[in-house]
Amino acid sequence: MRMQLLSVLQSALEQSCQRRRTSVISPFLKYAKSHFRDVCDDVVESTFLDQRNQVLDFPCCLVVLHASTDESMSKILHLNRHSQIVHRLARGGVQEAIWAEILEIMWSSGHWPSPQKDLHPTCLMCGRLVCGPHKQMVQQLPSRPLRRLADESPVLKVNPDRLCRRISDPWMLEDAPVVRHCFWDPEDSESLRVSVKQVGYLGWDAVREHLESFSVQKTAEQCQSHWRELVNAEHDGTTQNTLRALENRSLGERWKRRDDSISAEMDAMMEETEVENVETDLGSGLILWCPLLACYLSPESSLARPPASLLPEQIQEDFLVGLSAFFRTPLVDRTGLLNQECSLRLAVLDPIPDMDEAFSKDLATIMDQRAESLLSLAAASNCKVEVLWSGGIDSTSLLIAFLRALQPHWRPGEGEGRCRGTLDPQGSDRMIVRCSADSIAEYPWFHEQVLLKLQGAGAIDLEPLADSEEVTALWEGPASRLTVTGECGDQIFGSQLLEAAFVKSELHAIYEQGLDAPWQETLLPCLLEMGVVRPDQKERWLAWFLPFVDRCPVKISTTFDLLWWLNLACKWQTVCLRLFQRSGAQRSSAELGDDFQQWSFRPEHHAAKMPDHQRWSSYKQPLKEYIFEYTQDTNYFEHKLKAGSLCQVNDASQFVIMGVDDQLNIIRFGETCLSKRQMERMYPNDGLRKAFWKSREIEAQAERVV
């Protein structure tokens, strides 16, 4: 009887809460349904759960294509019923125009891809513009019928931990719970240390497999999480963790700051806070840009074509935007040829140099000279050199170049007393090395046999990063440091996309035919299959693209050739600027300079970049030889694979930008760049369109005004 009474009371309470919620939300929900009646099938309030069934209260929504029972598709706008923004809008006292503006922001930012092979537009979730202004990703979303809770309210279960990772299906992972923290006994922890030292340079999946040889069954995520805990304990015996400061990787304080920024922006809109106009004269072209800016400036944007969604139609109509979506990075062609038909005006900072037939420097000489020049620049500026070391090939080679310059008579060796030569203890006055637990895992031998020994002798300063994801916090770093990265290493040697020949992905033709196949039989079929190029536009696309191919100093025949040339010519500018684009501090990319480019143009060097196109570990062979000459570490030389570091760096900044022009003006409106109306208020009189949109109609109007 008592249990029956409790059940009745609980049911009554739930019904009461439901009635109260319906009565409060109903006018707002009715308005939303009416506002979007022509562009989606329904608007509902939904509960969003993470993989631990915890309610997510992020201040935004999602647009999802659902499969119905009759196999038809329905497009539904899911408002987050637990969002404080939604509740505030529903309480009243807000003009319908503000309702419309905020709903349109949610609609624009909340799109998911269709289950077809369409290109991914923006998704604003958990404080993050997933695949938004910085990278557009090509992925598929499996369709699933709409699920409901016991009270019949819709529910979506998502995985915030994977939103920022480049994997094939990060969106709906109902059957893949993420459990990072688990029990490790001391023997298991020691086995993890051994596994990391043996195969850490091959990635966490390799560590997991190696750990199984000790009869220890853990996931790759659990190995990574526990490794960070071990490094914390070793690095600092105090209560403060210096290499790992966050308990929750996806919803920590950094993402809460982004959530707070979005909420504050929408609050300001509801309070009708005035937006200051931009009075600075805009430049003549963009040196950094976001593909979404083309969507905002397009006169065709509407609710049906949201300005903050990079839809397939726009990608297929603007070939450079489409190629940028394919590369997941905004491209600027330094030959200038591909930029000509882009809908945005772009500016080239560092044009592709002509090939110097007399160039004869070897790579080791170029590396050593570059390190010497940066040390001289730092000394003249009264700065320390700060090297960001990931443990990968690019950053390890640049770090060795600095060590060769600062400690020319010293070389590492395993074991006590086996190091060669003498040390200059004054080196720490000139160089700081920054690394994370992930850096140490990627190259533990170098950390133990080189960096710790040099730090112990006072030859370098070794400072931790809380995590590789917090690199972007260095945007606010001190101007007393000249920060050096390994950026542009890939541009000199090839492309991360070369990995598609060895790992199955959406790039089927490259995997099936390999890197030596003609590019017309691999890259072009991939672009057609993924919807970047329409079949009826193939000939027009080739007419646009072939002059760029012919401009290369090296004859472009194979898939390897073309991926390298695209990376060098079109990704170089963005890569040089992307990591510290919002900081006034002095930064440098170790690979920047004509000497590296001239080296890459020589036919004999081009062949040496990856001497065996059937073996992924031969990629960047010349840099690995440079490292081996210093370390004599055969294991790293023979087996180290290219691994992306930046793809693990989460954007911890509190605002988003749409671009930077050639006068170094930052193009942004609000903190999240989501409101087209805010853009028009901040840049009145079509300011952005007149500056950067190459529309014949707009240009003709401007000429008539003049």
Side-chain angles (χ1 to χ4, degrees), residues 174-203:
E174 297 152 349
D175 301 323
V178 176
V179 179
R180 295 188 180 280
H181 298 285
C182 61
F183 175 74
W184 291 75
D185 63 33
E187 290 185 1
D188 291 348
S189 297
E190 185 57 35
S191 298
L192 178 63
R193 295 177 197 272
V194 173
S195 296
V196 167
K197 289 185 178 182
Q198 290 289 324
V199 298
Y201 54 85
L202 296 177

Side-chain angles (χ1 to χ4, degrees), residues 323-361:
L323 208 55
S324 297
F326 176 77
F327 268 91
R328 302 180 172 100
T329 301
L331 304 179
V332 178
D333 175 21
R334 296 192 296 138
T335 72
L337 295 171
L338 300 184
N339 302 338
Q340 293 174 5
E341 293 188 28
C342 182
S343 56
L344 296 174
R345 291 194 186 92
L346 305 178
V348 175
L349 292 181
D350 182 18
I352 283 280
D354 294 327
M355 183 174 179
D356 181 359
E357 298 290 346
F359 185 84
S360 60
K361 292 182 183 178

Side-chain angles (χ1 to χ4, degrees), residues 51-62:
Q51 294 297 292
R52 292 168 290 277
N53 290 323
Q54 299 296 309
V55 173
L56 300 170
D57 60 354
F58 49 83
C60 53
C61 73
L62 292 176

Side-chain angles (χ1 to χ4, degrees), residues 361-402:
K361 292 182 183 178
D362 59 68
L363 185 62
T365 300
I366 299 170
M367 294 286 292
D368 293 343
Q369 289 178 349
R370 183 62 174 160
E372 292 281 5
S373 67
L374 290 174
L375 286 169
S376 298
L377 175 62
S381 305
N382 197 27
C383 292
K384 284 187 176 182
V385 170
E386 178 184 57
V387 179
L388 304 188
W389 179 62
S390 72
I393 298 169
D394 297 335
S395 63
T396 300
S397 61
L398 78 89
L399 180 52
I400 285 173
F402 282 108

Side-chain angles (χ1 to χ4, degrees), residues 4 30 38 54 97 118 125 129 255 323 420 550 657 686:
Q4 280 185 323
K30 286 181 179 178
D38 295 328
Q54 299 296 309
D118 289 341
M125 184 173 184
L129 282 165
W255 305 142
L323 208 55
R420 297 163 285 165
D550 294 338
I657 68 171
D686 273 338

Side-chain angles (χ1 to χ4, degrees), residues 121-142:
T122 310
C123 173
L124 171 62
M125 184 173 184
C126 303
R128 179 175 175 78
L129 282 165
V130 181
C131 313
H134 300 298
K135 293 192 175 182
Q136 300 300 324
M137 298 178 72
V138 182
Q139 294 175 342
Q140 290 180 259
L141 174 70

Side-chain angles (χ1 to χ4, degrees), residues 111-123:
H111 275 65
W112 282 28
S114 78
Q116 310 304 320
K117 295 179 179 179
D118 289 341
L119 293 171
H120 194 299
T122 310
C123 173

Side-chain angles (χ1 to χ4, degrees), residues 550-656:
D550 294 338
R551 171 64 176 79
C552 183
V554 177
K555 181 177 175 55
I556 301 298
S557 301
T558 68
T559 303
F560 177 88
D561 298 336
L562 184 60
L563 288 176
W564 161 75
W565 176 234
L566 277 166
N567 216 15
L568 181 72
C570 298
K571 268 186 80 174
W572 177 279
Q573 183 162 306
T574 300
V575 169
C576 284
L577 302 172
R578 65 185 173 187
L579 195 56
F580 299 110
Q581 60 191 359
R582 302 173 196 170
S583 172
Q586 297 188 69
R587 312 292 175 189
S588 176
S589 172
E591 309 294 353
L592 188 62
D594 278 359
D595 279 358
F596 287 97
Q597 296 180 78
Q598 292 295 341
W599 179 89
S600 73
F601 291 160
R602 303 295 302 175
E604 63 272 22
H605 298 156
H606 182 66
K609 294 166 189 172
M610 186 176 178
D612 185 353
H613 289 176
Q614 307 299 316
R615 188 165 56 92
W616 182 224
S617 60
S618 72
Y619 181 47
K620 298 187 179 179
Q621 184 85 350
L623 280 183
K624 293 173 77 174
E625 291 172 355
Y626 182 79
I627 294 169
F628 179 75
E629 192 280 330
Y630 183 83
T631 64
Q632 298 298 299
D633 181 4
T634 305
N635 205 23
Y636 190 90
F637 173 72
E638 292 181 351
H639 303 295
K640 178 69 177 83
L641 303 179
K642 156 69 183 174
S645 300
L646 196 58
C647 65
Q648 298 192 43
V649 176
N650 292 334
D651 185 351
S653 64
Q654 291 179 252
F655 60 86
V656 172

